[in-house]
Amino acid sequence: MRKVSFAEFGGPEVLRLLDAEEPHAGPGRIRVAVRAAGVNPVDWRIREGQVLGAHPTVLPSGVGIDAAGVVDEVGEGVTGVEVGAHVFGEGSSTYAEFAVLWAWVRMPEGLTFEEAAGYPSVVETALRVLREVGVMPGQTLLVSGASGGVGSAVLQIARDRGIAVIGTAGAANQDYLRGLGAAATTYGEGWAGRVRQLGSVDAALDLAGSGVIRELVELTGDPRKVVSIADLAAPDFGARFSGVAGSMEDALAEAAGLIARRKLHIPVDKAYPLAEAASAHADSRAGHTRGRRVLVV
Ligand SMILES: NC(=O)c1ccc[n+]([C@@H]2O[C@H](COP(=O)([O-])OP(=O)(O)OC[C@H]3O[C@@H](n4cnc5c(N)ncnc54)[C@H](OP(=O)(O)O)[C@@H]3O)[C@@H](O)[C@H]2O)c1
């Protein structure tokens, strides 16, 4: 099969589309013929050697954690899914023709593979940060960096729960945020004043890591009501950095339910062929994705 991999840490040019051994589904896993793979910032962070953590990357390494595809192997002990089922979920080395998944859910009716590949990681993250920031129905949540993958999920899940949202994004994405039910303003010089004009906020999320934790604490009046997924300095201000994933199975089930009820739709900003993974990484790293970027196989 063909698979994107890298043999050294570095820029997008280290990615290669190579022939590789097919993986197989061990106990509790399934294998899918990948139709689309989601592109996440963590993918290029790992490629650059930024993500060390508990499981250091062993080179050469495959790329990608999110995928949508057609089940073609069912591992020992797996029930409730059969060869031929259309699923999306999380696994490893998903930028490939075949990948093994350890968490999955059936694709709701009407969802394309390209769309489906964009949901797993960002929905898990959105559900986690909403839980950790403790915002309640009827309250107002401020979301800094609201137009990307995680932001698009947060805004729609919050709306479904009766939480009002004020979001910041670039000038080109103001109408996009409003279309997702949020009040919108631009980031950059004077942004905190513009947020104050839109109303008071009970809790805040930093999804962009643009150095705004101090202002988010001032706007909420309580550092315990501020959570960041992208600024490791958040604890210096008494706020929380969220980096430990919650249950992917629960997140996928909730995502499928929201999609089926037409309460969640994350648009695909751009789809790239597998051979253009390097361009997808460069575009993602530029930091202005609206919704999601995906690779199609
Ligand atoms: N800790 C965790 O568990 C975890 C999990 C998932 C993701 N992350 C991290 O969280 C970040 C967001 O992930 P994502 O998948 O949503 O990324 P994404 O889809 O690439 O979105 C990035 C967003 O950042 C916005 N942005 C750029 N500059 C900004 C600024 N100065 N102020 C406010 N917003 C700005 C962009 O908005 P415009 O296009 O409107 O400019 C864009 O929508 C990434 O750094 C990722 O690595 C962490």
Side-chain angles (χ1 to χ4, degrees), residues 2-81:
R2 291 180 313 148
K3 168 184 171 180
V4 175
S5 68
F6 60 103
E8 57 182 320
F9 296 115
E13 70 284 351
V14 300
L15 297 179
R16 297 269 183 278
L17 182 59
L18 301 172
D19 288 329
E21 290 285 318
E22 290 184 13
H24 293 284
R29 308 280 193 259
I30 60 171
R31 186 176 87 164
V32 291
V34 178
R35 294 292 178 80
V39 174
N40 288 293
V42 71
D43 301 343
W44 49 258
R45 290 189 193 285
I46 290 171
R47 190 209 69 222
E48 290 180 354
Q50 285 186 38
V51 179
L52 302 171
H55 303 289
T57 305
V58 177
L59 299 176
S61 172
V63 192
I65 52 179
D66 287 345
V70 181
V71 177
D72 87 329
E73 279 182 12
V74 176
E76 194 189 318
V78 173
T79 57
V81 73

Side-chain angles (χ1 to χ4, degrees), residues 41 45 125 128 145 147-150 170 173 187 207-208 210 229 242 287-289:
R45 290 189 193 285
T125 306
R128 167 169 33 108
S147 56
V150 178
N173 283 324
Y187 52 71
L207 306 183
S210 53
I229 58 167
S242 175
H288 300 290
T289 299

Side-chain angles (χ1 to χ4, degrees), residues 156-263:
Q156 295 175 75
I157 296 168
R159 174 165 67 176
D160 189 53
R161 294 179 176 180
I163 297 161
V165 176
I166 299 172
T168 71
N173 283 324
Q174 300 295 297
D175 286 343
Y176 176 68
L177 297 194
R178 292 187 190 107
L180 299 182
T185 191
T186 48
Y187 52 71
E189 190 65 32
W191 72 272
R194 292 193 289 281
V195 167
R196 278 199 184 86
Q197 286 179 353
L198 291 171
S200 62
V201 299
D202 300 293
L205 298 175
D206 164 37
L207 306 183
S210 53
V212 295
I213 305 297
R214 184 190 305 278
E215 289 91 336
L216 296 183
V217 170
E218 285 168 9
L219 285 160
T220 58
D222 184 350
R224 292 168 303 178
K225 303 306 292 180
V226 177
V227 173
S228 176
I229 58 167
D231 191 339
L232 289 168
D236 297 348
F237 300 89
R240 180 198 288 240
F241 178 82
S242 175
V244 179
S247 163
M248 181 54 80
E249 286 87 354
D250 291 352
L252 290 169
E254 187 144 357
L258 287 161
I259 295 163
R261 288 195 290 119
R262 311 228 177 281
K263 298 295 183 188

